[in-house]
Amino acid sequence: MRPPKPGDFVKCLFPFDENPESPAPVPHIAYLVGFKGKDAVLAIYTTTTLTENGMQKSPYAVKVPEGESQSMGMQKPFMIDGSRLAFLPIVPEFFPGADNGKLPVIGCATDSLKRAVEMRAKSAMQSGHSRTLGPKALRRRYGIAPTS
């Protein structure tokens, strides 16, 4: 297992909106934005559900088609939702399979995808449409006021 780096896709228990401080009950793949100290990461939500009622789920999402998806280690087309972020502690409760701080890396985004995700995430934050999940203590530490 290689050390993760920004732009990697990692398997984690990304929190649900309904319970923003706790690990989700099912594994999910997240896009790793970067590290926050030695004990936490900032990650962005990904989903294979590309539309809701025929509409793209978020205007801040970047669609990744199947061919590109497979070249990055995924099995299906997916979206990276730049409006849904989380500060996650690097602990087994959020990262099952983590080994001494090394996270389970699935694949790595292309440089053009990294730029697109960064642009959408900044746009969501600047417009006030981003949601930041994860434990309140981490959100406070990094200047994000907890909403719950």
Side-chain angles (χ1 to χ4, degrees), residues 80-101:
I80 303 169
D81 186 350
S83 68
R84 194 163 170 207
L85 302 102
F87 286 107
L88 303 176
I90 302 173
V91 296
E93 292 80 14
F94 280 93
F95 291 96
D99 181 25
N100 291 326

Side-chain angles (χ1 to χ4, degrees), residues 53-125:
N53 299 324
M55 303 288 290
Q56 182 169 318
K57 290 179 81 168
S58 167
Y60 304 102
V62 179
K63 285 185 182 180
V64 181
E66 188 168 1
E68 189 176 348
S69 167
Q70 290 175 345
S71 74
M72 291 183 277
M74 311 306 170
Q75 296 176 359
K76 300 178 183 180
F78 66 97
M79 286 192 325
I80 303 169
D81 186 350
S83 68
R84 194 163 170 207
L85 302 102
F87 286 107
L88 303 176
I90 302 173
V91 296
E93 292 80 14
F94 280 93
F95 291 96
D99 181 25
N100 291 326
K102 292 182 180 173
L103 307 177
V105 175
I106 306 298
C108 185
T110 62
D111 288 340
S112 61
L113 181 58
K114 290 176 192 176
R115 286 189 297 276
V117 171
E118 182 179 318
M119 183 180 73
R120 298 283 172 90
K122 281 183 180 177
S123 180
M125 286 186 259

Side-chain angles (χ1 to χ4, degrees), residues 11-86:
K11 189 174 278 193
C12 68
L13 298 176
F14 199 98
F16 290 153
D17 288 337
E18 301 80 25
N19 198 1
E21 288 192 70
S22 300
V26 294
H28 207 81
I29 296 172
Y31 174 84
L32 184 62
V33 176
F35 291 87
K36 295 297 180 180
K38 293 182 180 185
D39 62 346
V41 298
L42 178 59
I44 296 179
Y45 181 77
T46 71
T47 181
T48 56
T49 305
L50 302 179
T51 61
E52 195 170 274
N53 299 324
M55 303 288 290
Q56 182 169 318
K57 290 179 81 168
S58 167
Y60 304 102
V62 179
K63 285 185 182 180
V64 181
E66 188 168 1
E68 189 176 348
S69 167
Q70 290 175 345
S71 74
M72 291 183 277
M74 311 306 170
Q75 296 176 359
K76 300 178 183 180
F78 66 97
M79 286 192 325
I80 303 169
D81 186 350
S83 68
R84 194 163 170 207
L85 302 102

